[in-house]
Amino acid sequence: MTDPHTDHSPTPAERAARAAEALRAAEAAGAQAKARPAPPPDATAAQAAPDAKEGAAALAELFAEAGAPAPLAGRAAARLGPGAAAALRADPWRLLRVPGVAPAQADHFARRLLGEGARPDDPRRGRALVLHLLIEAAREGHTVTPAADVAAALQRIGVPDPRAAVEAALDEAEVLALTEEPEFDEDSVEEADPPEPEETLGPARWALAEEAAAEGLRRLTLTAAPLLDDAAVRELRSGLPEDRSLALTAALRTGVSILRGAPGALERAALEIASAAAGRGVRAAVVAPTDRAAADLARDLPGGEGGGPPVTSLHRLLEPRADASAAPGAVVYGRGEQNPFDLDLVLVTAAAGLDVELCAVLAEACADGTHLVLCAREGDAPPAGPGRPLEDLEASEAVPVVTLDAPPPGDPLGALTAAVRGGELVAVDAPGREVVVVPAADPGEAVHRAVQLVTDSIPRALGIPLEDVQVVTPAAGGETGATALNAALKARLNPGPGKFAGMDPGDRVVVAAPLPQAAVGETGVVLGGGAHGLDVEFPGGMATLSPAEAARLRHGWAVPVALGRGTPRPAVVAVMSGEGLSRPVVATAFGLARRHLSVVQAAGPALARAVRDVAAPARRTRLARLMMG
């Protein structure tokens, strides 16, 4: 193990060798099962391995001793596992792995446990802060961060020797050093010295996912053969418009392709391609983000539900299963490299929502020769998790991209969404109240109007039942965020003390982090709970969640756009304030409405400015380079 205080600074080549060695070790360890998303295994916690009840008691005792907030114990148990108390006693700065914990809080926790032994130059502190900074960057979508930026941030938060902190993190193998070659500029002066490669750092979790995604997608491209002969393809293409003909040809002849289009038209094209292929004996499936979305899509199949190829959720297709040996927070899937899908053609709707981990799992679960079509609405927001697989794939120019011609909007909802995707916020004529704009002077009025729309106006005036109405907002926090809206909606719709993990029977919930029982973004209704866990009715059936699993739920009457994006609803109430606005976010929110959209306009002129001028923030990723390599 490298001494974190040594004066030796590894060269880029040494770092690349270390990264490669870590990649090979992780690939070997992961050959038997794939999990997503999986925090790095906590060795200290694994050594202790008490049962959940003993672990909870030990954690409560530890937090009381350190004066830490009791509610934090549930989040710590969910992230660190049953051995959380032992892990935190051995290394108090592991508390930074728990979402929402800031460096100052972890330092305070360490001082309460270690006293004078809690030093600023403690290697445990340094490596925890490096990982914390990289995970914070990942929450903004980045898979890598320049090493110089990490060093500067470490200095700002009082780490005496940033280089030693980075070395300590690298020695733990949870952080990888990666060398990024600079872009070649043909117009640069020949005599000028070429720029030095940039050293970046990334959590091993996402670095490995990008490697696996690139490897899997390249494999599908290289092993693909036409699914039908030329005569059959020509027959299927006969009479189709040029854009549909190109989309069908790409799906049947290439291993990986991207299909872009407008809401509605894109999903219809995916169903038509799958149905046409299935009619010629191709094993095809259409895959949606959630069970609820899959059920809605199945009803739109040519010939009706049950009249064509299977339509399912990606979560269900991957066959999640319980695995006691999995790391805390991991979902283990039965489908993967050793047990791929029994399919020739997979069409994934709402693929813009795939983060790099789920993209890697999907690619690895496709057998050699499987054709994968990634369908995405034009202008959709990037995924909630790290990475931007779809944009990286397109930027790599390694796969064909087909864009469907935009049909003339057939209704006010389509006209508004199309205008937003084009950068304009327009007023639309909606005689059937398909679109209603409700001004709000301040956040308090915005919350009040949203509650009024959900509980009274939409069900009464439009006949759309409460269970078919979804509130969406750009962010979780803030005065008009999902948390504030859910508090107001619960008080009106289902008041209660939150007896079971903060929930009461009748509460609508949404999956905020992956569960074996349901995908991220899936909504359900709480049936009850007790010592055994929380009982929730999801679209796929009733599930009992352990207390640690229940911590991955949030109230779901209102959801951030990132969680609601995969499941269109008959009626959507979009609460727009000044927080988190961009053209992709607004377009995605408005595009979720199937019959009716109420826009609670609390942003004033900022909404039109965001639609006109604000793109999705750039993300630092590696997948495009890996695909070209």
Side-chain angles (χ1 to χ4, degrees), residues 294-311:
D296 289 340
L297 266 181
R299 286 191 286 270
D300 294 335
L301 270 171
E305 191 171 0
V311 179

Side-chain angles (χ1 to χ4, degrees), residues 500 504-507 509 524-529 534-538 541-543:
F500 307 113
D504 294 298
D507 280 358
V509 293
V525 177
V526 174
L527 302 179
L534 191 70
D535 300 322
V536 182
E537 184 70 35
F538 290 114
M542 198 276 283

